[in-house]
Amino acid sequence: MDTQIVPIHMMFDTVYALKAEGAILIDGGDPGKLTNFQRGLEAAAIKPEEIKLIVLTHGHWDHIGSAEDIRTITGAKMLLHQKDMHFLDEAHPSQPPGFTLWGKVLIEMLKLITSNMHIASFPVDIIAGDD
């Protein structure tokens, strides 16, 4: 069976469903976008319960924001690398430092957007190591 790669636009970010016999979701998108996710699944003819694993590529807010909501409707297990676990305990999403002038300006704008944002901590089923 061929594997389909289905982009699901969340708003700020895009998550990807990899569908074959079952489905794996790559990332959880920005917070509060469960409806966008459900519409994307419906358009792709994927049932929520087909998703068995949510792989969070890293712990930034736009990759973990709707992950727990998605897990609630899919029942999928969640995977995150051990070095990104600290993002789950932050009161407000942190931003990388930005190195170029444009990067620093962009980060300052993102800090304004995310300063009042709160993503509740959630359990991770599989904590990946460097292996």
Side-chain angles (χ1 to χ4, degrees), residues 79-83 85 126-131:
L79 178 145
L80 181 63
H81 193 275
Q82 65 187 2
K83 291 179 182 172
M85 293 295 293
I126 304 166
I127 300 171
D130 289 337
D131 298 340

Side-chain angles (χ1 to χ4, degrees), residues 33-95:
K33 301 300 176 209
L34 181 61
T35 302
N36 297 41
F37 176 74
Q38 290 171 308
R39 281 189 210 129
L41 279 187
E42 189 175 312
I46 299 173
K47 296 176 184 161
E49 60 272 11
E50 290 182 82
I51 296 177
K52 302 300 182 193
L53 179 65
I54 302 167
V55 176
L56 302 173
T57 59
H58 59 286
H60 291 160
W61 64 274
D62 57 324
H63 291 260
I64 67 169
S66 288
E68 182 62 15
D69 293 337
I70 292 170
R71 182 206 333 241
T72 299
I73 66 163
T74 63
K77 292 193 179 288
M78 192 108 54
L79 178 145
L80 181 63
H81 193 275
Q82 65 187 2
K83 291 179 182 172
D84 283 307
M85 293 295 293
H86 68 94
F87 286 105
L88 300 178
D89 297 324
E90 292 182 349
H92 300 286
S94 63
Q95 303 299 329

